[in-house]
Amino acid sequence: MTAAPTDRPALWRATVLTLFPEMFPGPLGISLAGRALASDLWALDARDIRASATDRHRSVDDTPAGGRPGMVLRADILAAAIDAAAVAPDRPRLLMSPRGRPLTQSRVVELARGPGPLIVCGRFEGVDQRVIDARGLEEVSIGDYVLSGGEIAAIALIDACVRLLPGVMGKEASGAEESFSEGLLEYPQYTRPQLFEGVPIPEILTSGDHAKVAAWRRAQAEALTWARRPDLWTARPGQKAPKSTTDG
Ligand code: ADE
């Protein structure tokens, strides 16, 4: 029998393969993502890779072929763990790795629009290349530094996606996304008190002139991006230096 047609989209789901399932939901069980999880706006399965181990010691890793210290996650064990998760073929299969393509907001938006990824968390010195190739894993990095494993990177990626899911965030906040997707860093924010340690809120922000406020914010965003992220600045089409600059 086929399911009755429904307007409700399928639940966005993150399936995480890890040696440390107790690290989940972790921070994803708190605040915005945690409330959304409790309200069934998304779902999380954390699966233990070690459950696919076959020997008495439940070992999942071995020494790298060719020598060097450290341990490598075995292709057969990880492939069995991926296969056991039986995720639908349309779901992206990611491997968190410092060697991956850097995660961007536009990739986050894509992932949030889809059915939700399978995410493999690497540990040890790496993962046998054959399973990366055989299961078509897309390697994703969250920055040019090395974490002790992929779990914290997976949590960061999932958090970035979940806040974009329908119903998770208020309307005001989704506007902020647009400004980042324009490739600019966010302008500085202020709130009460009016005077903090002798420093007032910039006058323009309390002027009530919305056009001037918007222009000021835009100029600040441009100046910050120019100073701190020349890579983002030059990626924007036809960019010259901003009208004003600021310190990094
Ligand atoms: N695992 C270890 N370091 C990582 C990083 N920078 N990004 C993603 N996964 C990782």
Side-chain angles (χ1 to χ4, degrees):
M1 208 172 75
T2 53
T6 167
D7 288 332
R8 199 175 334 131
L11 196 60
W12 191 91
R13 180 178 294 273
T15 302
V16 180
L17 299 187
T18 169
L19 291 164
F20 301 97
E22 62 276 22
M23 287 177 76
F24 294 85
L28 296 170
I30 297 167
S31 189
L32 194 81
R35 282 195 299 275
L37 187 59
S39 313
D40 294 326
L41 292 174
W42 67 289
L44 175 67
D45 307 316
R47 300 174 61 98
D48 192 350
I49 295 171
R50 206 173 289 280
S52 296
T54 49
D55 67 353
R56 221 157 45 89
H57 306 288
R58 303 185 76 211
S59 56
V60 292
D61 58 331
D62 213 326
T63 53
R68 287 187 76 96
M71 300 295 265
V72 175
L73 206 50
R74 280 171 48 161
D76 54 345
I77 307 294
L78 184 54
I82 293 170
D83 297 346
V87 299
D90 63 328
R91 294 180 61 194
R93 295 166 171 219
L94 314 180
L95 169 64
M96 304 315 296
S97 159
R99 209 177 71 166
R101 197 167 276 146
L103 185 63
T104 60
Q105 186 65 20
S106 60
R107 184 69 182 120
V108 166
V109 169
E110 265 173 27
L111 289 169
R113 283 191 185 139
L118 168 87
I119 308 175
V120 177
C121 301
R123 281 262 152 186
F124 314 110
E125 275 12 83
V127 172
D128 189 305
Q129 184 63 38
R130 292 169 296 176
V131 68
I132 300 175
D133 298 338
R135 294 298 180 274
L137 301 180
E138 170 191 339
E139 292 182 72
V140 177
S141 165
I142 64 158
D144 289 340
Y145 42 82
V146 182
L147 302 167
S148 51
E151 286 78 8
I152 290 172
I155 289 169
L157 181 147
I158 294 167
D159 181 84
C161 291
V162 164
R163 57 189 290 281
L164 301 182
L165 299 176
V168 172
M169 220 169 33
K171 271 207 192 86
E172 336 76 72
S174 40
E177 234 60 53
E178 269 153 36
S179 86
F180 194 87
S181 65
E182 271 186 68
L184 291 175
L185 301 181
E186 220 199 345
Y187 49 79
Q189 298 276 18
Y190 300 85
T191 187
R192 286 186 294 183
Q194 164 58 28
L195 203 61
F196 168 68
E197 297 186 349
V199 182
I201 294 175
E203 219 177 298
I204 207 159
L205 295 179
T206 48
S207 67
D209 185 333
H210 298 305
K212 276 202 179 135
V213 168
W216 181 87
R217 285 178 167 166
R218 177 78 190 190
Q220 291 283 320
E222 290 185 358
L224 274 176
T225 309
W226 167 264
R228 295 183 184 172
R229 295 292 304 273
D231 57 319
L232 285 183
W233 185 264
T234 49
R236 306 172 70 239
Q239 285 316 309
K240 297 199 226 62
K243 284 184 212 88
S244 64
T245 54
T246 189
D247 67 313

